[in-house]
Amino acid sequence: MHNSVCITTLSAISPIGDNLADIFEAITKAESATAAIQSFDTAHYPATVGAEARDGKGVIPSHHSQDRKELFVNRAFQNLFTDHPSAIRKYDPQNRIISIGSGIDYFDLVGYIDNPQKAWQDYCNSATTTMQALAETYDILGGVHTNVSACVASTQALGLAWRILRRDPDRVIISGGFDSMLSPLHYIGFYKLGAFSDASDLGKACKPFDKHRSGLVLGEGAAIYTLESEKNADKESILAVIAGYGSSNDAYMVTDPQPGGEMLARAALEAIGEAGITPGEIDCVHLHGTGTHKNAIAEANAMKIVFPRRYAEIPVYSMKGQIGHLIGACGAMELLGVIYSLQNQKVPVTVNYETPDPEVTLNVIKEKELSMPIRYILKLNSAFGGQNSALVVKKYE
Amino acid sequence: MKLRITHFKADETIPVKEFLRNKKLVKYFNKETASSIVCVAQLLRDTPLDPFTPFYYGMGTIEYQDFGLEGIAELSRDPQSRRFSSRRYIEDAMPSVSPLSQFKVLYNMPLSFVAIEHDLRGDCAVTYTNAHSLLTQAAYAPTEHPVLIGASKVYGDGSVTSGFALIAKDELPPPEQIWGMEEPIELFHYLLERNHAQ
C-alpha cells in the first residue's frame, strides 16, 4: 500500500506575480506577461521579448553579477518559511529533503569581460551551489537533489519527490523548480536555436496551439512546494494530491519532439496507471504548449493515443502564452495552473489562442474559462533532447 | 553488475565515430557526450538492453568549456574601454556563436544522445553534481530489473572520464557510504574499487 503524497504549501516568484493571490487573479484575467525585456539592455538585440519575473513594483531588477534564478529561489524559500513556519520545521532536519529542477549555470558575461583577471569559472553560479546554501540556511539535512533535465527538470524533480514520499512517508520534501535564461549569454544562445517567436506584438508573442504560432518566449521564476504524506499533513492545508508520475524518452532527435507523440503518450499513460485510474477519469489536461509548431503537433498526436475517443473534446490548457517558457522550472510553475483548476473547478483560457489549427484538433479553451467538475488533471511536459514527463494531480477530498 | 570506466586525455581524440550509427551527430557533441557514447557502447557491446530500461545520468560540476567563450568575450569588448559593449556583443560576437553551441552546454545532451544511440525510451533523469542524487534516482526507479546509470566529468585540463554501469537495485551502495561525494563520476570509481575488493 503506497502513501498518498500531498502538496501542502507553496511559494512562487513568477512573471505574473510573487504571491498566490496575484498569480491566480492573473490566470483568471488571462493577462499576458510577455513584453520587452527590462532587466538587461537589449537595445541591439535581434529579439527583445521575454516574460520577466515581477513583484508588486514591476519587473524584479538585478545587477549583472546576480544570478536571477538564485534571486528568485532565495525569495521563494524565504517566503515559504515566513508564511508557513511550522510546515517544514515540524520534521527532523534529517528527514527534510530538497528535490528541485533547474537549468544551466548562470554566467556573468559582463563581469567576466569587465574584470578579466579572474577565471571564467569564478563568474559561474550553479543551481547546486544555490541549493546547498539554502539547505544549510534552513537546516535541510536529508539530501539535495537537483535535476537538470532541461524543460522537464522540475516535473521530474516533483516526480522523484513523489516516489520518495510514497515509500518513506515520514519525510518532507521541498520540490519545484527555478530558472532564468534571461541574461545576455543564455538569451542569445537560445535565440540561435531558432525557436523564438518572431511576433511583432510582444504581448501576443507566444501562441500555444494557435494556427499562427511562431515560437516560444523565455520566462523566468521559481515555484516551490512542500510535499508531505497524507498521514503527516495538516489536512486543512492540503492544496492537491500528486497521484501519479511517469517519464519517458523519445530517443528520436534532440532538436525535435517525436512527431507521433508516442513516448509522450507513454509517460502520460504511466502516470495515469500509477494513479490507479484510467484515462477516462482525467477531466482536463494541462499541456506543455510551448508555442512552437512541432510541439503542438506532437502533443496533439499524444493526446490521440491517450484519449482515442475524446481527444478533441477533453479540455486542454497551456500556461506559456501567459508566462513564457521557464525551461528548468516550467513544470513547477505550471503546477500553479493545475492547483488553480482544482481549487476553482475551471479550465483557464490559453492566452493568445485565437485561430484553431486544423492539424491540432484539441479543445483549447479560449475567450472564457470553462467551469466544470475537475477531480483529476494530467500535466505534461517535454524537453529539448526528447525527455517527457507526466503528473496526475488530484483534488483533495 | 556490469561497469565500464573510460578516460581520455585532453589532447586525445575520442573515437566516437567508431561507435555511432549516425556519424553526422558528432557535430553536436561536447567532450562529455562523446566520451559517454564510447563508454556506453563498450559497456553494452554484448548486452542488448530492453528499450525501457531506466537510465539516469549524473552531470558533474563545470570546470571546462569549449564553446568559444574567450572569442565571444574578446569580440564583445569595446576597443577603447576594453569593457563589455552590448552593441559589439550583438554585432560582432553573436555571429561567431554557432547554433550548435547550445547542444554543448545543455546538461541533458549526453543522456539524450546515448538514448538515441541505444534506443532507450524508459524512465530517465539527469541529476546535477553529488553522487547521492544519481543513486537516489536509481534506488527509486520504477522497475525491479537493473538500471543504467552513468556520469561523465570534464576536468579543467580538458581530460574527460566517463563511468557507466548496468546495476541492480540491491547492488547500489547504501547512501551513507557515498554521502558527501560531490562528483557523480566518483560513484563509478567507488563501484570499481568495491568490485575489486570482493
Side-chain angles (χ1 to χ4, degrees):
Chain A
M1 184 67 182
H2 289 298
N3 302 290
S4 186
V5 178
C6 304
I7 299 169
T8 51
T9 68
L10 66 82
S11 173
I13 311 293
S14 85
I16 50 174
D18 65 347
N19 64 81
L20 194 61
D22 285 355
I23 291 168
F24 276 14
E25 186 182 351
I27 294 174
T28 301
K29 290 180 175 172
E31 296 169 341
S32 173
T34 67
I37 289 171
Q38 298 176 34
S39 60
F40 62 95
D41 177 16
T42 59
H44 308 287
Y45 281 51
T48 59
V49 66
E52 296 171 290
R54 292 167 182 267
D55 58 17
K57 298 176 205 159
V59 169
I60 298 172
S62 62
H63 186 261
H64 63 73
S65 60
Q66 171 75 61
D67 177 359
R68 285 177 70 79
K69 69 178 184 295
E70 181 178 68
L71 175 70
F72 305 142
V73 79
N74 283 346
R75 276 200 195 182
F77 265 72
Q78 189 175 20
N79 292 347
L80 189 76
F81 278 81
T82 302
D83 296 345
H84 311 282
S86 63
I88 293 134
R89 294 201 171 102
K90 70 184 181 186
Y91 291 88
D92 183 277
Q94 302 287 345
N95 285 327
R96 302 175 191 167
I97 295 171
I98 291 174
S99 176
I100 202 104
S102 192
I104 59 178
D105 290 6
Y106 174 69
F107 185 72
D108 176 12
L109 181 66
V110 177
Y112 176 59
I113 290 170
D114 287 354
N115 302 287
Q117 59 272 33
K118 288 202 286 184
W120 66 267
Q121 292 93 335
D122 293 330
Y123 294 94
C124 288
N125 188 60
S126 81
T128 303
T129 308
T130 301
M131 280 299 119
Q132 295 289 3
L134 284 168
E136 198 168 307
T137 301
Y138 294 103
D139 211 14
I140 296 166
L141 304 182
V144 173
H145 307 295
T146 309
N147 187 308
V148 285
S149 297
C151 319
V152 297
S154 59
T155 317
Q156 289 197 338
L158 287 155
L160 177 64
W162 176 78
R163 284 179 180 163
I164 294 172
L165 277 168
R166 281 222 305 174
R167 203 191 298 175
D168 302 325
D170 291 328
R171 310 294 187 108
V172 61
I173 305 183
I174 299 175
S175 189
F178 67 111
D179 205 358
S180 175
M181 297 282 274
L182 296 181
S183 62
L185 190 65
H186 293 337
Y187 188 79
I188 289 300
F190 222 92
Y191 170 81
K192 283 276 189 171
L193 287 176
F196 274 11
S197 165
D198 60 5
S200 54
D201 182 348
L202 301 188
K204 292 187 172 184
C206 181
K207 299 166 77 76
F209 313 116
D210 189 276
K211 185 180 179 182
H212 305 297
R213 64 193 179 278
S214 67
L216 61 82
V217 172
L218 288 173
E220 61 175 6
I224 56 171
Y225 304 85
T226 305
L227 269 55
E228 301 174 82
S229 65
E230 185 180 8
K231 85 176 179 79
N232 288 330
D234 169 12
K235 306 297 180 286
E236 296 298 311
S237 66
I238 295 174
L239 299 166
V241 175
I242 298 181
Y245 165 66
S247 85
S248 67
N249 199 321
D250 287 349
Y252 173 69
M253 287 173 73
V254 291
T255 50
D256 295 348
Q258 191 181 27
E262 293 91 345
M263 287 301 108
L264 177 60
R266 183 182 172 94
L269 290 167
E270 279 186 1
I272 291 167
E274 292 278 13
I277 60 171
T278 63
E281 292 172 83
I282 297 290
D283 297 301
C284 65
V285 185
H286 286 220
L287 291 165
H288 190 49
T290 59
T292 64
H293 181 76
K294 288 175 179 173
N295 159 259
I297 302 287
E299 287 203 287
N301 286 331
M303 290 286 288
K304 289 177 186 172
I305 297 169
V306 179
F307 306 102
R309 283 186 290 279
R310 59 182 188 123
Y311 70 87
E313 284 83 42
I314 189 167
V316 303
Y317 166 67
S318 165
M319 202 170 180
K320 289 188 179 73
Q322 188 162 29
I323 63 167
H325 192 334
L326 276 77
I327 311 293
C330 71
M333 192 62 76
E334 292 161 14
L335 188 56
L336 292 170
V338 171
I339 293 170
Y340 175 92
S341 280
L342 291 172
Q343 293 202 340
N344 296 288
Q345 297 289 284
K346 287 177 179 173
V347 183
V349 167
T350 292
V351 172
N352 299 330
Y353 179 75
E354 292 165 345
T355 310
D357 179 347
E359 285 190 271
V360 184
T361 53
L362 297 171
N363 182 15
V364 186
I365 304 306
K366 63 174 185 175
E367 294 170 1
K368 186 171 178 281
E369 292 183 304
L370 175 67
S371 293
M372 61 178 284
I374 301 173
R375 193 162 174 243
Y376 286 102
I377 295 177
L378 175 64
K379 174 78 197 92
L380 300 182
N381 288 107
S382 302
F384 192 81
Q387 293 173 268
N388 305 299
S389 61
L391 293 170
V392 171
V393 188
K394 181 187 173 189
K395 184 175 191 286
Y396 182 65
E397 297 163 328
Chain B
M1 176 179 64
K2 284 192 74 174
L3 174 70
R4 180 81 190 178
I5 295 175
T6 56
H7 181 78
F8 297 99
K9 294 176 190 165
D11 57 357
E12 200 174 348
T13 302
I14 301 173
V16 65
K17 281 190 177 175
E18 293 174 27
F19 300 94
L20 269 182
R21 288 181 296 173
N22 181 356
K23 296 182 186 353
K24 289 182 183 171
L25 293 180
V26 169
K27 65 185 177 190
Y28 296 108
F29 296 176
N30 62 9
K31 287 193 174 207
E32 277 175 303
T33 301
S35 174
S36 295
I37 291 280
V38 172
C39 190
V40 177
Q42 292 174 343
L43 176 78
L44 301 179
R45 198 189 316 260
D46 303 311
T47 311
L49 272 193
D50 179 326
F52 293 103
T53 301
F55 174 26
Y56 309 111
Y57 180 81
M59 176 78 193
T61 49
I62 311 297
E63 294 179 22
Y64 177 85
Q65 61 78 26
D66 58 359
F67 66 88
L69 179 60
E70 281 305 322
I72 293 170
E74 192 50 42
L75 288 170
S76 302
R77 283 196 175 94
D78 179 84
Q80 270 75 48
S81 70
R82 303 295 292 158
R83 295 176 71 84
F84 177 78
S85 157
S86 185
R87 179 189 291 274
R88 286 214 66 195
Y89 173 55
I90 296 303
E91 293 180 357
D92 299 332
M94 195 186 82
S96 76
V97 178
S98 164
L100 300 180
S101 66
Q102 205 65 15
F103 296 94
K104 299 181 180 182
V105 298
L106 286 174
Y107 301 159
N108 66 337
M109 287 296 114
L111 176 134
S112 296
F113 281 112
V114 167
I116 289 169
E117 188 60 22
H118 295 274
D119 196 27
L120 293 171
R121 290 175 276 157
D123 196 67
C124 55
V126 182
T127 64
Y128 193 19
T129 72
N130 95 57
H132 177 239
S133 287
L134 181 60
L135 191 71
T136 302
Q137 286 288 349
Y140 288 91
T143 180
E144 295 311 313
H145 299 291
V147 302
L148 180 65
I149 57 173
S152 292
K153 170 74 183 176
V154 187
Y155 298 93
D157 66 359
S159 62
V160 55
T161 302
S162 294
F164 280 81
L166 194 58
I167 188 168
K169 284 185 185 175
D170 60 7
E171 295 172 311
L172 295 169
E176 58 273 16
Q177 287 185 13
I178 63 152
W179 196 264
M181 233 182 230
E182 290 187 358
E183 294 287 346
I185 192 66
E186 293 175 39
L187 173 63
F188 297 87
H189 292 303
Y190 169 88
L191 292 171
L192 185 66
E193 283 175 24
R194 192 184 70 176
N195 270 7
H196 285 322
Q198 284 172 349

